[in-house]
Amino acid sequence: MSSARERTWREERDAKVIPITKRRGVPAARPPRPDDEDLSTAPPSAESALPESGTSESGTSESGTPVGGVAEAVAQAVGEALAGPLGGVAGRLFGEGWEGRAANGLGFLRRRLTGEYRIDEFGFDQELTEQVFLSLMRPLADKYFRVEVRGAEHLPGKGGALVVANHSGVLPLDALMTQVAIHDHAGRHLRMLAADLVFVLPGVNELARKAGHTLACNEDAQRLLESGEIVGVWPEGFKGIGKPFAERYKLQRFGRGGFVSSALRAGVPIVPCSIVGAEETYPMIGNAKTLARLLGLPYVPITPTFPWLGPLGALPLPTKWIIQFGEPIPTDSYPPEAADDPMLLFNLTDQVRETIQHTLYRMLVQRRSVFF
């Protein structure tokens, strides 16, 4: 074998192969380094189990692609641009503290590009929810609907709780505004139980999972409650958001009490939630039932503006909202077998429903105007 061929053969034999990352957010094992010999038998620490960066020593991602290098290059280029002449312009446009917001944004972009983010077993992406989803919803809550939140002190600072609310308004905007309200006023994330339709719509399914929503079933609800999460349920379902405007603020049937059963098994309090203002966002004066059946939807609303004004008619009216959290109804005093008592389930379900209904009537009497 010639010296040149022998040298080539030895280089290929000694070459290191970097394995491909199999799962997003979990780094692949890297080839051993000489300085790792003393640590080869030591158990991994908690810090070593976390992904440190998505790039290798060469500046490429551990999957063999230059994603991490691209992220670093983009962050560096933007940082240098903002540190130069653009910095003064950015300061005038975005006000004080823009540097910190820009740094957070660049860090978020880098983690997205390198896959260094975590999701839980239900698909909840906390960082994406806080940085993007809630940031987009907050102006709608604060500026457009001007949501007033009352009784936030009834939400527990830690531990599980079941929030039960009335449902209305054609589109489930009330659920989204409640999610913003609980995060901003109680510092907790609301894990909502959503209808089957949400998880069969293309695109909506993935977004709902990442925002913390899960299927409305007792098993998922109980697991979340037992793990200390705040879970939100709207027992009226499509009957609530699809009811005619003439029946506004009249609660529909609350089902068979499945949500009460989950709360009893987990031993968590039930927090009634009453929402005023959502009913008037889309006054539903008719329902195109034939079209709804063809599209596989529970209803196709007809409002004073839709479909007459086209896409413009799909905009919600800027009504004034109030979200009231009532006093918690404890369930931890009941024995475990109480969750199988149909009479107790009926009584607790009726108690929650009546509490929400009476609160709605009281809030409507006190309301000055639909829009102010």
Side-chain angles (χ1 to χ4, degrees):
M1 181 181 297
S2 66
S3 59
R5 294 182 61 187
E6 181 179 358
R7 186 167 53 256
T8 302
W9 175 79
R10 289 182 182 279
E11 290 176 354
E12 292 178 352
R13 184 193 65 181
D14 297 335
K16 296 178 180 180
V17 178
I18 300 178
I20 297 177
T21 301
K22 294 183 177 180
R23 185 158 56 93
R24 173 174 289 181
V26 180
R30 56 171 172 78
R33 302 174 187 163
D35 57 351
D36 289 341
E37 293 178 358
D38 296 336
L39 303 176
S40 59
T41 58
S45 64
E47 294 181 356
S48 64
L50 296 174
E52 297 177 357
S53 71
T55 61
S56 65
E57 292 181 353
S58 62
T60 60
S61 69
E62 294 184 347
S63 63
T65 60
V67 175
V70 171
E72 296 290 352
V74 171
Q76 182 177 357
V78 175
E80 291 176 353
L82 292 177
L86 290 179
V89 178
R92 289 191 295 270
L93 288 176
F94 304 113
E96 296 182 0
W98 69 268
E99 298 95 336
R101 295 193 296 271
N104 291 335
L106 290 174
F108 173 78
L109 176 63
R110 178 186 176 280
R111 289 188 292 274
R112 290 290 129 180
L113 289 174
T114 57
E116 294 179 15
Y117 57 90
R118 295 174 180 269
I119 59 175
D120 69 7
E121 58 181 318
F122 292 92
F124 175 48
D125 189 332
Q126 180 174 335
E127 184 183 44
L128 182 68
T129 299
E130 293 178 348
Q131 298 292 331
V132 178
F133 180 72
L134 291 177
S135 296
L136 293 175
M137 291 294 105
R138 192 168 289 114
L140 187 63
D142 295 342
K143 305 298 183 182
Y144 196 78
F145 293 132
R146 295 146 292 147
V147 177
E148 178 184 347
V149 179
R150 302 175 182 174
E153 66 276 7
H154 295 312
L155 297 167
K158 61 179 180 179
L162 183 67
V163 174
V164 183
N166 59 303
H167 216 9
S168 62
V170 175
L171 294 179
L173 294 175
D174 51 1
L176 302 179
M177 296 301 101
T178 305
Q179 184 177 11
V180 175
I182 290 178
H183 178 270
D184 291 355
H185 292 266
R188 304 285 303 273
H189 282 285
L190 178 65
R191 309 297 296 272
M192 292 188 282
L193 303 180
D196 297 0
L197 180 62
V198 173
F199 299 102
V200 299
L201 294 176
V204 178
N205 174 24
E206 183 72 13
L207 180 60
R209 287 288 184 187
K210 288 185 177 296
H213 310 174
T214 189
L215 192 64
C217 64
N218 292 347
E219 292 78 9
D220 283 3
Q222 187 175 341
R223 286 170 59 196
L224 286 168
L225 291 171
E226 290 176 347
S227 63
E229 301 285 352
I230 293 184
V231 177
V233 62
W234 285 258
E236 294 175 279
F238 289 118
K239 299 188 303 294
I241 59 176
K243 64 178 177 288
F245 186 66
E247 298 180 12
R248 59 192 180 278
Y249 297 113
K250 296 179 181 178
L251 295 186
Q252 305 298 299
R253 184 172 174 268
F254 262 29
R256 300 178 181 179
F259 65 91
V260 172
S261 174
S262 299
L264 285 170
R265 294 183 190 279
V268 301
I270 301 173
V271 181
C273 177
S274 306
I275 304 172
V276 165
E279 291 275 16
E280 293 87 2
T281 53
Y282 294 103
M284 186 170 168
I285 58 177
N287 180 13
K289 296 182 179 179
T290 303
L291 182 58
R293 285 195 296 268
L294 292 174
L295 297 176
L297 299 175
Y299 54 85
V300 172
I302 298 174
T303 73
T305 59
F306 183 83
W308 325 114
L309 299 182
L312 186 62
L315 291 176
L317 296 178
T319 56
K320 165 69 176 172
W321 286 35
I322 301 174
I323 298 180
Q324 170 78 57
F325 296 101
E327 294 187 8
I329 300 174
T331 64
D332 54 357
S333 61
Y334 295 97
E337 60 272 14
D340 299 318
D341 184 349
M343 197 61 192
L344 176 62
L345 295 181
F346 175 82
N347 289 336
L348 284 176
T349 301
D350 190 60
Q351 179 183 354
V352 174
R353 186 181 181 279
E354 288 301 312
T355 299
I356 296 174
Q357 184 69 84
H358 288 309
T359 303
L360 288 175
Y361 287 151
R362 184 174 66 253
M363 293 166 65
L364 289 171
V365 170
Q366 297 172 351
R367 184 171 64 166
R368 295 178 302 169
S369 168
V370 173
F371 298 100
F372 303 102

